[in-house]
Amino acid sequence: RVQLVESGGGSVQAGGSLKLSCVASGWTYSTNYMGWFRQVPGQEREGVAALKVDGDYTFYADSVKGRFTISRDNAKDTVYLQIAGLKPEDTAMYYCASSQDHIVVAPLDPSEYNDWGQGTQVTVSS
């Protein structure tokens, strides 16, 4: 299994920026997608960004396009989520996830992912 550890969350004011990090260990050759998701208590987990490992293709939820950027640093085994123009509605627990061993049809669907980190909290005040 891939072990994932997120960091970088915090409390910021609206309009601010954060950069979330996800350090991965236990990579396998079959890891094909990395994704960032968020969840508010009482609501379903929502996919916000995903990256196809082969080719670095990226996918974003409409609600975050133009503000969120997913990227990776292979040398550091790390995937990032740069968040700009934070809004109060971005407040959530943010999770990193990896997908392997199957063909992904919907990169922002949480059910496509096998392994998950413990999450990092992002709180945005108005």
Side-chain angles (χ1 to χ4, degrees):
R1 294 188 61 179
V2 178
Q3 291 78 45
L4 304 167
V5 179
E6 304 96 331
S7 62
S11 297
V12 298
Q13 290 193 331
S17 299
L18 283 173
K19 188 173 185 177
L20 308 184
S21 299
C22 172
V23 179
S25 59
W27 287 102
T28 71
Y29 71 93
S30 62
T31 298
N32 51 6
Y33 280 81
M34 296 295 298
W36 282 97
F37 299 79
R38 65 186 182 187
Q39 190 169 23
V40 175
Q43 297 185 18
E44 293 187 353
R45 192 164 293 187
E46 173 193 20
V48 295
L51 181 148
K52 185 177 181 183
V53 172
D54 182 10
D56 280 342
Y57 298 104
T58 57
F59 306 84
Y60 296 96
D62 288 342
S63 58
V64 307
K65 281 180 181 177
R67 299 190 299 120
F68 288 24
T69 304
I70 187 171
S71 63
R72 65 175 177 150
D73 184 334
N74 291 338
K76 297 181 180 180
D77 289 337
T78 301
V79 176
Y80 302 101
L81 186 67
Q82 179 73 51
I83 309 174
L86 278 159
K87 304 176 181 180
E89 51 264 42
D90 293 321
T91 295
M93 183 72 79
Y94 283 72
Y95 298 90
C96 173
S98 67
S99 176
Q100 52 269 344
D101 299 328
H102 71 280
I103 297 173
V104 172
V105 175
L108 297 179
D109 185 345
S111 67
E112 296 273 25
Y113 291 79
N114 307 91
D115 297 304
W116 294 81
Q118 82 290 347
T120 186
Q121 177 69 36
V122 173
T123 302
V124 185
S125 57
S126 57

